[in-house]
Amino acid sequence: MVNCLLCNRSLTKRLTVSEIIFPGPIRKQVVCNACFQKFIRYSGTNACQGCGREDKNKLCTDCQRWQQQYGWHLSHRPIFHYNQAMREFMQQYKFQGQYHLRAVFQQSLQVVISQMDYDLLVPIPVTNHTMKTRGFNQVTGLLENIQYTELIKHREKQKVAQSKKDRQSRLKTKQQFFLDRNITLQGLRIVLVDDIYTTGRTLYHAAELCYQNGCKRVQSLSLAR
Ligand SMILES: [Zn+2]
Ligand SMILES: [Zn+2]
């Protein structure tokens, strides 16, 4: 018997007539519909072309600021809204270290990524400290069935966890990443993946590094925003 990963109710479901007549690949269900409905997808309509949030402008004021600072802006795609359900999910998955919960959104990411055009899929890394204390990178956990390249690494010295800093000090921090391997990114199209888009600071650092190493185009994706 399989139970919902979030509420633990049984997932046994009756097959529909068409599933009996046309047995296709069975979609692996890991959470019940009631739980999954609490996560709200971005529709993509009226979205900021930078960060994907719903905004009346083509480019929201935050993204206009990035555009001014870098001379380019990321084209970011968030999948779900960072609402109460997502906050609770992140709390359990990331901060309480319930690694088995990575399965909840693997399929959602897989579907979105399969529609994107890129050469390398690059997850945002966690710091060595987080790796030691949490024991896993919550981003690569979400990408389990997808090919990705761990290309960038955290510079050491970062003492305060991103989530503990306020918005202003997060925006000001210096480049936090370096390229993990000596490879040329000349002409490549990269998609960066993170779990949550907050201010964009982390993804802009990673994107800047990619562009400095010759990337042709950098886009990004996050589970939530
Ligand atoms: Zn459930
Ligand atoms: Zn924006």
Side-chain angles (χ1 to χ4, degrees):
M1 185 123 83
V2 186
N3 292 341
C4 170
L5 286 179
L6 296 173
C7 71
N8 209 30
R9 264 188 288 251
S10 165
L11 284 177
T12 359
K13 67 159 197 162
R14 248 179 254 172
L15 290 175
T16 63
V17 173
S18 81
E19 280 170 327
I20 293 166
I21 303 174
F22 311 104
I26 296 173
R27 204 175 73 90
K28 206 178 122 209
Q29 209 188 358
V30 290
V31 289
C32 72
N33 291 336
C35 282
F36 207 66
Q37 275 166 12
K38 293 181 190 158
F39 301 105
I40 311 297
R41 277 175 186 276
Y42 276 89
S43 64
T45 47
N46 300 319
C48 164
Q49 289 173 357
C51 63
R53 78 153 64 128
E54 277 138 22
D55 197 88
K56 56 185 188 307
N57 300 309
K58 270 189 178 167
L59 207 57
C60 76
T61 49
D62 283 348
C63 291
Q64 286 174 24
R65 232 174 285 144
W66 289 123
Q67 173 71 38
Q68 273 168 12
Q69 184 175 339
Y70 285 105
W72 47 266
H73 66 80
L74 267 176
S75 161
H76 180 79
R77 176 156 180 198
I79 305 178
F80 291 96
H81 286 265
Y82 192 64
N83 61 3
Q84 183 60 27
M86 187 57 83
R87 229 186 316 272
E88 282 166 16
F89 170 80
M90 284 297 170
Q91 188 63 32
Q92 291 180 308
Y93 174 48
K94 207 164 139 173
F95 299 110
Q96 294 171 15
Q98 299 187 27
Y99 192 48
H100 68 284
L101 292 182
R102 69 194 183 282
V104 174
F105 291 110
Q106 280 172 351
Q107 200 164 28
S108 308
L109 273 130
Q110 220 172 335
V111 170
V112 171
I113 290 169
S114 71
Q115 296 158 353
M116 296 179 87
D117 203 18
Y118 61 88
D119 300 305
L120 289 181
L121 189 72
V122 178
I124 295 295
V126 293
T127 60
N128 285 344
H129 176 75
T130 302
M131 204 58 184
K132 268 185 221 140
T133 50
R134 186 176 300 157
F136 61 89
N137 176 347
Q138 71 279 359
V139 182
T140 56
L142 299 169
L143 299 175
E144 213 162 53
N145 306 311
I146 309 165
Q147 202 184 345
Y148 59 83
T149 312
E150 292 185 275
L151 195 65
I152 56 181
K153 275 204 147 163
H154 257 279
R155 284 181 197 281
E156 264 324 299
K157 72 175 177 163
Q158 234 187 354
K159 293 188 195 86
V160 194
Q162 277 287 319
S163 49
K164 290 192 183 126
K165 286 190 204 163
D166 61 38
R167 182 186 162 84
Q168 275 312 312
S169 53
R170 251 193 318 232
L171 288 175
K172 267 186 254 157
T173 48
K174 288 211 193 87
Q175 175 59 273
Q176 42 184 315
F177 301 118
F178 64 95
L179 272 196
D180 190 26
R181 336 171 175 196
N182 201 4
I183 65 166
T184 173
L185 302 179
Q186 208 63 45
L188 295 184
R189 297 160 306 159
I190 283 186
V191 172
L192 298 166
V193 190
D194 207 353
D195 54 347
I196 307 170
Y197 184 107
T198 311
T199 61
R201 181 62 282 176
T202 304
L203 283 166
Y204 272 85
H205 272 157
E208 183 187 23
L209 187 67
C210 295
Y211 278 130
Q212 282 167 348
N213 284 277
C215 268
K216 186 164 85 182
R217 192 192 69 201
V218 186
Q219 291 172 289
S220 58
L221 176 75
S222 64
L223 174 62
R225 188 210 186 289

